[in-house]
Amino acid sequence: MTAGVAVISIGMATAVGLDALSACAAMRARLDGFQETRFLGSPEGWLTGAPVPLPRNWIGEKRMAHLAAGAITEAFERAPEARGQTALILCLPEESRPGRPVRDNSGLLRRIGEIVKVEPHSRSRTVAHGRPAGHVAFDHARRLLASGDVPYVMIAGVDSYLTAPTIAHYLKGRRLLTADNSNGFIPGEAAAAVLCTRPNGGNFQLFGLGLSRETASIYNKDDLPLRADGMTAAYDAAFGETGIEMNRLGYRISDLIGEQYWFKQTALASIRLLRGRHEFQDLWSPAESLGNIGAAAVPVMVGMAWTAAAKGYAAGNPVLIEASSDDGACGAAVFATRRAA
């Protein structure tokens, strides 16, 4: 088993706050960043979205670079000693997604480095798997840290569903929340960064990670019934590494973007694994405030959990963080605060 990962700092740029402190406070208070966009959702009116209120109206890759750079810069502020010796793992939207706001993954890495004023590390890389990209990134991060090649790893995610081709694609597929479709998601955008190092004492740590794939994905062409086999397997693997069963879990944070499919998947995975006596397990989701933020989801959720643990309002310990994508990729990770003796 690979060594653990400790989260030591975070950063965010979201529709409800341009830094982690304000964003987490707003999400805790159930505030949202939903507003009318310039996109027409239906003949009845404009589409609701959750744009980030940046000081300048940057678009495309320039917007993504500044969003990510803002979150990364904030994460470095708490641990300035990590500058110059940190590998960046950048979580991005799926290559196949229509209208993805990033055309050149490597070019975006370089552009972010220029804005943050940090030379790109030789072990930096991109992970383009959409919402569960963060789980893949944590798997890479723990291997990197275990190898001793780098003392720090920055996991950052940036994404936006607020591009014309993306909106057109999801409107055509009746995936967006509109006046005539209640079973849809609100398109959003965000960036978040999580600075990691090897565990030491009472840090907020990753203890278990599971990756799997769901055959009955939201787009499955064989009309397979959803049994949540993929998410159940991801949960099971994460609990197996952690050494606990699900009834020991404190609470969960999920990327539930709004469609019924994802709620059903989460409920089924819980029903299949939760056994024996257990306390109430709360379920949080950043989508309630930010909409669908794609590849930024896992770093945002880890940031929510880290802040909740640090400020003493977490709904339990440990916390399971889950995410899944339209193509069936599933990820689950167990984090906990281990108090120093």
Side-chain angles (χ1 to χ4, degrees), residues 38-61:
R38 67 185 188 277
F39 302 107
L40 200 61
S42 66
E44 286 75 36
W46 301 106
L47 185 73
T48 297
V52 177
L54 288 177
R56 296 185 191 175
N57 191 29
W58 293 301
I59 60 172
E61 285 193 9

Side-chain angles (χ1 to χ4, degrees), residues 18 55 72 80 83 86 89 96 98 159 174 186 192 197 216 219 227 234 243 245 254 268 280 288 292 294 299 311:
L18 294 178
I72 291 168
R83 275 183 172 272
T86 299
I89 303 178
S96 59
D159 204 343
R174 291 189 59 79
I186 293 175
T197 190
Y219 284 137
R227 299 177 62 246
E245 294 186 358
S254 175
L268 286 171
F280 170 72
E288 294 178 10
N292 185 357
K311 292 190 171 294

Side-chain angles (χ1 to χ4, degrees), residues 261-276:
Y261 175 93
W262 312 106
F263 288 96
K264 184 178 179 183
Q265 176 180 256
T266 294
L268 286 171
S270 175
I271 289 168
R272 292 179 62 179
L273 290 178
L274 195 52
R275 298 285 182 270

Side-chain angles (χ1 to χ4, degrees), residues 52-332:
V52 177
L54 288 177
R56 296 185 191 175
N57 191 29
W58 293 301
I59 60 172
E61 285 193 9
K62 188 172 186 179
R63 185 176 183 84
M64 296 299 98
H66 280 278
L67 275 170
I72 291 168
T73 299
E74 183 188 356
F76 273 137
E77 285 173 359
R78 191 181 179 93
E81 68 278 6
R83 275 183 172 272
Q85 47 181 341
T86 299
L88 172 62
I89 303 178
L90 185 62
C91 303
L92 297 172
E94 307 92 324
E95 299 280 0
S96 59
R97 199 175 83 203
R100 75 192 296 264
V102 179
R103 293 182 181 178
D104 180 0
N105 296 354
S106 299
L108 182 63
L109 261 182
R110 289 192 298 272
R111 181 177 270 189
I112 290 168
E114 290 167 5
I115 299 171
V116 179
K117 295 182 171 57
V118 173
E119 285 289 319
H121 195 281
S122 61
R123 302 302 296 270
S124 293
R125 60 179 298 166
T126 59
V127 179
H129 295 302
R131 290 192 300 277
H135 288 100
V136 178
F138 270 102
D139 192 36
H140 290 311
R142 62 182 182 174
R143 294 175 195 280
L144 265 179
L145 291 170
S147 72
D149 291 347
V150 291
Y152 300 97
V153 176
M154 182 80 77
I155 295 173
V158 64
D159 204 343
S160 177
Y161 278 77
L162 295 168
T163 71
T166 297
I167 295 296
H169 170 75
Y170 287 105
L171 274 175
K172 184 179 178 182
R174 291 189 59 79
R175 295 282 310 278
L176 299 184
L177 183 67
T178 60
D180 60 353
N181 180 32
S182 60
N183 184 27
F185 67 81
I186 293 175
E189 62 181 4
V194 178
L195 183 60
C196 306
T197 190
R198 285 181 285 276
N200 179 22
N203 293 322
F204 186 74
Q205 299 176 31
L206 169 69
F207 285 96
L209 180 68
L211 301 170
S212 189
R213 185 164 292 277
E214 175 59 58
T215 53
S217 70
I218 197 167
Y219 284 137
N220 91 83
K221 294 181 174 64
D222 301 320
D223 290 327
L224 298 172
L226 176 62
R227 299 177 62 246
D229 290 337
M231 189 58 79
T232 301
Y235 273 33
D236 210 26
F239 289 132
E241 284 193 1
T242 309
I244 65 169
E245 294 186 358
M246 189 168 176
N247 61 0
R248 292 266 311 281
L249 194 65
Y251 72 112
R252 288 180 289 168
I253 308 180
S254 175
D255 63 333
L256 301 168
I257 58 173
E259 295 162 295
Q260 294 171 8
Y261 175 93
W262 312 106
F263 288 96
K264 184 178 179 183
Q265 176 180 256
T266 294
L268 286 171
S270 175
I271 289 168
R272 292 179 62 179
L273 290 178
L274 195 52
R275 298 285 182 270
R277 185 182 179 279
H278 60 88
E279 301 298 326
F280 170 72
Q281 295 179 354
D282 206 356
L283 179 62
W284 298 0
S285 176
E288 294 178 10
S289 297
L290 309 178
N292 185 357
I293 53 172
V298 171
V300 164
M301 292 190 287
V302 173
M304 290 170 69
W306 183 84
T307 302
K311 292 190 171 294
Y313 65 84
N317 186 46
V319 55
L320 182 137
I321 291 171
E322 66 166 73
S324 54
S325 66
D326 293 355
D327 67 1
C330 299

